[in-house]
Amino acid sequence: MKPSLLAASLAIALGTSAVHATDVPPPTSAATPVAAANADDPTDGGNRNRQPVKVQDLGAVSVSAALDQARNGLSPDTGSSQYVIDQKAIAQLPLGASTPVNQVLLQAPGVVQDSYGGVHVRGDHANLQYRINGVIIPESIGGFGQSLDARTIRTVKLLDGALPAQYGLRTAAVVDITTRSGSELGNGGSVGITGGSNGTLNPNASEWGSNERWSWFLTGNYLENDAGIENPTPGKKPIHDHTNQAKGFGDISYLIDNDTRLSFLFGVANNRFQIPNQPGLQPQFGYLGQVGFDSADLDGRQRENTRFGVLALQGKLGATDYQVSVGQRYSSLAYSPDRIGELMFNGVASAVSRSNRASTLQADFSTPLGDRHTLRYGIYGSFERAISGNNAWVFPADAGGNQTSTTPINILDGSRLVAKTWSAYVQDEWSIGDDWTLNYGLRGDRYQLVRSESQLSPRLGLVWQATGSTTVHAGYSRYFTPPATEMIASSNIAKFDGTTNAVSDMGNNTPLAERSDYFDAGISQNIGSAWTVGVDAYYRKVRRLQDEGQFGSALVYSTFNYEAGRVKGVEFTANYEQGPLSAWFNASLGKAIGKRIVTSQYNFAPDDLAWVNNHWIFLDHDQKLTSSGGIHYALNDSTGVGADYLFGSGLRKDGDVPNGASLPAYFQLNLNLSHDFAFDRFGKLHTQLAVLNVLDRTYELRDGSGIGVGAPQFGPRRGVYLSLQKDF
């Protein structure tokens, strides 16, 4: 039997009781299913002691389970920190499986929320690597669109710290997603809908199953509401902020034999956003004699498309486990301005377009060498074509930037870039006695855009199982992070000389790869069968530190480099799981600073450049104290109640110096109640009621000031949402 009609349709469309651990799997609990815990065990030496699987029936679940275990053995966690969130923990969040993936990640320690759906892990801006079933999916270029869906997740691990040699390029953290599968779930599906405040409507449908050699998992959902982007005002209802978003994902697998599986992963996201308006602004420029324009009537819009497809062959040759994949990701963004309005407020109205097509090759291998060593090695290659366009309208201006005519002129500029990335790694996991594990390796990366950059990066991770309940780890990693595939040439900038979009400093416009030394150490302690606590400290010394800013009206980020950076922090986690009660708590203290902006200086005011050239400043996404936590209680088999919160001491804003002050601290409390109703001849109906920001506290994520910061953005006001879900 072949996959269903839904699979074909999606293929055509392609055209928390969380657990913290350091280096060892968390204790099995309701938050970590037994199968997932065993499959993700990084201490099994890449299954070096696993006996060949003997299965007579090719359609048996045990074949897929054995291959899942082998695939997980390709990805060691030794020496790094990991935080695991499974499907049950996601279901206990206020919005359950309707929770955007970025908000799922906010449950992990050291993850700071930002505007446009952005998150920062351990003082880094973006720089996240997404993996689905061990395959790297290159990040999209969208400023805030979410292209992944939490309904696909069986478990998601956030790996950070001193990562093994297998992980490179994007290294702030690895978001390692293991998807749900038809071989695990059997045959069935689910339909549901979430609705509530701000005109939210979010229907969804999923189908999964297996038959003989085939298995599949398919899901799709549609979202619309009137608060697609953070409100630039403290009011309850944003102005001009409607969004329509459609997402789909599929995983289709075919068992070639007992040791070999061919999988096709694909996903698609089509998102549309209105850009919210801030009333009461005064125009700064005249337009053909017109001097007045109501800023509440601006009509800027942005659309983002992302799609990816990956073909992966995974299996076993002798004693060697392997996975080889080829894939492609296409991402595009288009911003449509309100031409007259933006000319009058900003002196420039730009229709901005960006697209990026990345073709990838990835191969990972794991070979046991005796009883004490596991050799892992692999390669990765990426070929990117990036196209950017800017159809800009500006006014003529004198040398001082003063408007000399109210008749706009049109300027076209753009670029086509090709970037190539090649990486290779080799590492050995060495079990020293019963209590020590040493993982050491070497990674090589080479990146070519308008210039070639490369680096050999040593990695070292050590784990000590001090007692049956105490694990200590320490690690060092040398990192190489290429910039995003984008560049504004001096010839493009020069086109705007003598206009209201002219810049005062051409500067160096060639993006640079970041290079850093990362040190990490931590301890994890199990207390009885219910408690797990952990402490982790890190320090990163950086050259050519990468940061990103939102410059102009289009909500898209552009890369720039500081000459040097220093990032450090400490994290604490605690989790409790006993009977019907589960609870978790995270707190992190961090500091991220940079000095001297050495690329893309044209984006910055001369006074800011002069100050940063001679002084260390806080990065705009630095937040001193971040905390999250929650509690969930199962009243019985069909009813549960829960609460969670987010706390932040505030991102940076301008004070007496750039990024010299912090926004006020914020606290957001969310509540939820779930109940499963049983009906004759209909079966079970899952319902979940959520109240977000139940205290209706107004708080500001950004105030519009700071290095690389655009408009103000406020956190969500109180919202009430109801979800209905029916499995079949």
XYZ file of all heavy atoms in Angstrom, residues 15 43 100 166 177 186 205 238 290 297 308 353 382 421 447 472 479 509 512 546 573 634 654:
174
model
N 6.076 21.903 -4.200
C 6.606 22.739 -5.356
C 7.370 23.795 -4.609
O 8.009 24.392 -5.345
N 24.966 7.511 25.962
C 26.006 6.775 26.662
C 26.149 5.349 26.160
O 26.935 4.583 26.697
C 25.684 6.736 28.166
O 24.468 6.003 28.357
C 25.510 8.135 28.716
N 3.660 27.768 19.015
C 4.734 27.914 18.027
C 6.046 27.338 18.564
O 6.295 27.355 19.776
C 4.833 29.432 17.834
C 3.494 29.963 18.242
C 3.029 29.057 19.343
N 30.815 16.916 15.573
C 29.752 16.694 14.590
C 28.945 17.952 14.324
O 28.390 18.127 13.242
C 28.827 15.592 15.089
C 27.682 15.283 14.139
C 26.975 13.998 14.498
O 27.343 13.357 15.464
N 25.991 13.618 13.732
N 15.226 17.804 16.467
C 13.834 17.355 16.509
C 13.736 15.916 16.021
O 14.245 15.576 14.952
C 12.946 18.256 15.635
C 12.928 19.684 16.197
C 11.519 17.704 15.536
C 12.219 20.682 15.308
N 0.883 3.660 14.860
C -0.139 2.820 14.267
C -0.885 3.602 13.194
O -0.397 4.594 12.667
N -5.016 19.299 10.853
C -5.339 17.901 10.542
C -4.037 17.123 10.390
O -3.053 17.638 9.848
C -6.168 17.808 9.258
N -3.876 45.518 18.290
C -2.955 46.159 17.346
C -3.708 46.743 16.156
O -4.814 46.313 15.820
C -2.034 45.007 16.902
C -2.260 43.909 17.881
C -3.647 44.075 18.398
N 1.906 67.375 -0.477
C 1.163 66.800 0.661
C 2.060 66.807 1.893
O 3.211 66.381 1.849
C 0.728 65.365 0.332
C -0.068 64.685 1.440
C -0.501 63.271 1.050
O -0.522 62.932 -0.129
N -0.855 62.456 2.030
N -2.742 54.724 9.231
C -3.267 54.249 7.948
C -2.195 53.641 7.046
O -2.483 53.304 5.890
C -3.949 55.402 7.206
C -5.202 55.890 7.912
O -5.813 55.084 8.646
O -5.556 57.075 7.739
N 11.046 22.855 2.032
C 12.238 22.017 2.031
C 11.859 20.575 1.740
O 10.724 20.138 1.991
C 12.998 22.115 3.362
C 12.256 21.576 4.558
C 12.303 20.227 4.889
C 11.505 22.427 5.359
C 11.615 19.742 5.994
C 10.815 21.948 6.460
C 10.870 20.596 6.780
N 12.991 42.465 -1.662
C 12.790 41.040 -1.930
C 14.092 40.297 -1.672
O 15.179 40.795 -1.986
C 12.337 40.802 -3.373
O 13.321 41.234 -4.288
N 27.103 22.518 1.353
C 25.957 23.367 1.058
C 26.313 24.303 -0.084
O 27.407 24.884 -0.110
C 25.555 24.184 2.292
O 24.544 25.123 1.986
N 29.759 26.004 1.138
C 30.244 25.576 2.447
C 30.582 24.094 2.398
O 29.775 23.284 1.919
C 29.188 25.810 3.543
O 28.790 27.184 3.537
C 29.729 25.449 4.918
N 34.222 28.225 4.036
C 33.088 29.003 3.535
C 33.595 29.974 2.482
O 34.613 30.651 2.673
C 32.432 29.769 4.687
C 31.315 30.701 4.272
C 30.044 30.210 4.012
C 31.534 32.062 4.143
C 29.012 31.056 3.639
C 30.505 32.928 3.780
C 29.253 32.417 3.525
O 28.237 33.264 3.160
N 28.989 14.900 36.092
C 29.750 16.137 35.917
C 30.293 16.152 34.492
O 30.746 15.125 33.977
C 30.914 16.226 36.923
C 31.686 17.536 36.737
C 30.395 16.108 38.353
N 34.860 27.289 17.604
C 33.736 27.433 16.693
C 34.079 28.347 15.519
O 34.844 29.316 15.653
C 32.518 27.999 17.418
C 31.816 27.018 18.330
C 31.193 27.448 19.501
C 31.770 25.669 18.032
C 30.534 26.554 20.335
C 31.122 24.767 18.859
C 30.510 25.219 20.007
O 29.867 24.331 20.825
N 31.931 46.416 3.795
C 30.642 45.753 3.589
C 30.758 44.254 3.341
O 29.777 43.615 2.969
C 29.924 46.420 2.408
C 29.763 47.902 2.622
O 29.311 48.317 3.673
N 30.171 48.698 1.645
N 31.900 38.834 7.638
C 33.007 38.010 8.111
C 32.495 36.838 8.940
O 31.496 36.955 9.660
C 33.968 38.847 8.960
C 34.603 40.058 8.273
C 35.377 40.887 9.286
C 35.496 39.625 7.125
N 29.372 38.094 15.376
C 28.243 38.398 14.495
C 27.031 38.853 15.303
O 26.718 38.282 16.342
C 27.853 37.174 13.673
C 28.820 36.804 12.579
C 28.347 35.596 11.810
O 27.171 35.251 11.836
N 29.273 34.925 11.137
N 18.719 24.680 36.715
C 17.468 24.013 36.362
C 17.038 23.073 37.479
O 17.874 22.504 38.197
C 17.611 23.189 35.068
O 18.520 22.107 35.295
C 18.126 24.039 33.921
N -2.427 16.413 37.245
C -3.481 15.596 36.645
C -4.504 15.249 37.728
O -4.214 14.452 38.634
C -2.892 14.329 36.042
N 18.891 52.189 24.418
C 19.872 53.259 24.546
C 19.688 54.000 25.861
O 18.559 54.274 26.292
C 19.748 54.247 23.391
C 20.345 53.702 22.101
O 21.103 52.710 22.176
O 20.052 54.262 21.029
